[in-house]
Amino acid sequence: IERTLSIIKPDATKRNLTGKINAKFEEAGLRVIAQKRIKLSPEQAGKFYEVHKARPFYGELVEFMASEPVVVQVLEGESAITRNRDVMGATNPADAAPGTIRKEFALSVGENSVHGSDAPETAAQEIAFFFSGLELVG
Ligand code: GTP
Ligand code: MG
């Protein structure tokens, strides 16, 4: 059993899609074991996406992630990291497979509705960024 960090991004919270996106996770065999709705400061968003600091879209990404509340959550399940990435779909919704969250809900490569950790090390780091051990009940 594995855990991954998921974020329902501002474009999706703004359009009231939290429940529809969570239904996708649950249908894919992922369990939402922790969840909270928060508004990131630009500083927090910048720190979370620090790995992308050198990318041309970094400023835009940080501004977007701090623009509206997000829902941060921990998903648990068998191969949760890859399973979540599969249900999210490709970064650019134009390339995302039918049935994926980004295909159905994302607006653009930037406003793409969800974030998911990409490896066990980043999942552990990202979960610890938002949640304390006491908040995680498997
Ligand atoms: P995350 O789960 O959010 O990390 O998405 P990802 O792993 O599919 O993509 P990646 O880590 O490469 O990029 C992180 C995020 O930066 C993406 O989800 C997008 O929101 C944003 N992003 C990536 N490429 C572009 C781009 O070309 N333009 C803009 N505006 N944003 C981008
Ligand atoms: Mg990524």
Side-chain angles (χ1 to χ4, degrees), residues 22-131:
N22 278 347
K24 290 280 195 190
F25 294 143
E26 292 177 346
E27 283 160 17
L30 294 165
R31 184 180 298 275
V32 181
I33 63 157
Q35 172 167 270
K36 56 192 170 190
R37 184 174 180 273
I38 58 176
K39 181 134 191 292
L40 295 173
S41 67
E43 291 70 29
Q44 289 168 321
K47 190 162 178 234
F48 182 78
Y49 274 118
E50 206 150 42
V51 295
H52 296 307
K53 205 162 196 162
R55 309 275 282 272
F57 56 81
Y58 178 74
E60 203 180 311
L61 174 61
V62 169
E63 189 185 347
F64 166 60
M65 292 299 289
S67 66
E68 295 275 337
V70 295
V71 174
V72 295
Q73 47 191 192
V74 178
L75 308 179
E76 187 178 82
E78 215 56 65
S79 306
I81 296 167
T82 52
R83 197 177 281 226
N84 181 38
R85 305 254 332 159
D86 287 347
V87 70
M88 287 163 61
T91 308
N92 187 340
D95 303 328
T100 61
I101 291 170
R102 283 166 168 168
K103 179 67 176 186
E104 288 191 15
F105 304 121
L107 301 175
S108 65
V109 66
E111 299 194 47
N112 62 359
S113 303
V114 280
H115 163 83
S117 308
D118 57 14
E121 306 72 46
T122 48
Q125 280 169 19
E126 291 177 3
I127 289 169
F129 187 91
F130 289 111
F131 294 94

